[in-house]
Amino acid sequence: MKKRFFIGLMGLLGLISLMACGEEPTPEDAAMASAQQSYESLLEGDYESFLAGRADAEQMPASYREQLITTYKQFIVQHKEEHGDIASITASRAQMDSTLQLMQVFLMVCYADSTLEEVLVPMVERNGEWKMK
């Protein structure tokens, strides 16, 4: 848990330092930070925050939200059973897909059993914020 927090904190500090230097983060950097923050919320068991990171979260009926939260919990349990937990998630790169009008963010998932997996998270910009599609 502390390792996940530290990795997320480092990414957030990097983004803040860019802003403090007067440089705005690139859309790629902002989308990567948002995707990583959302997935770290999932790992910490903050399913509501993970759900809030979705672009369509505000329009969802309550029953569907409850179903998604149950699915998120099952996802975490499944990965704990298969890999002994998720050790960390790190955003590795992002690229704009101008045809689909979204940012493709690649996250590296590092499991406790030392297995690595790359996950693609499509992100869209909504009102100046990057959200999961």
Side-chain angles (χ1 to χ4, degrees):
M1 181 70 110
K2 289 180 184 179
K3 185 177 181 181
R4 287 186 213 148
F5 177 75
F6 178 73
I7 291 170
L9 182 61
M10 294 307 296
L12 187 59
L13 289 175
L15 189 59
I16 290 170
S17 67
L18 279 175
M19 294 169 69
C21 293
E23 296 178 33
E24 281 201 33
T26 64
E28 289 83 359
D29 290 337
M32 286 174 29
S34 181
Q36 184 168 339
Q37 182 180 8
S38 290
Y39 270 80
E40 286 173 357
S41 295
L42 179 65
L43 294 182
E44 293 167 3
D46 188 356
Y47 306 110
E48 287 290 337
S49 290
F50 182 74
L51 187 59
R54 290 182 52 145
D56 57 351
E58 295 173 4
Q59 293 85 17
M60 287 180 192
S63 61
Y64 184 55
R65 293 175 67 87
E66 290 173 22
Q67 289 174 3
L68 285 176
I69 287 175
T70 300
T71 302
Y72 300 153
K73 290 176 182 178
Q74 291 170 345
F75 170 83
I76 294 298
V77 169
Q78 177 186 358
H79 284 277
K80 283 183 180 182
E81 290 173 356
E82 292 177 1
H83 300 285
D85 208 358
I86 298 172
S88 65
I89 293 183
T90 307
S92 60
R93 61 191 168 96
Q95 64 186 46
M96 178 57 104
D97 185 330
S98 57
T99 305
L100 298 174
Q101 294 299 306
L102 52 84
M103 187 74 69
Q104 307 270 9
V105 175
F106 296 84
L107 300 175
M108 289 303 299
V109 180
C110 185
Y111 295 101
D113 66 2
S114 73
T115 323
L116 291 174
E117 180 179 4
E118 186 172 56
V119 178
L120 173 65
V121 182
M123 304 287 288
V124 292
E125 190 175 15
R126 297 280 192 262
N127 301 321
E129 291 184 292
W130 286 96
K131 302 278 187 170
M132 295 178 290
K133 179 118 172 100

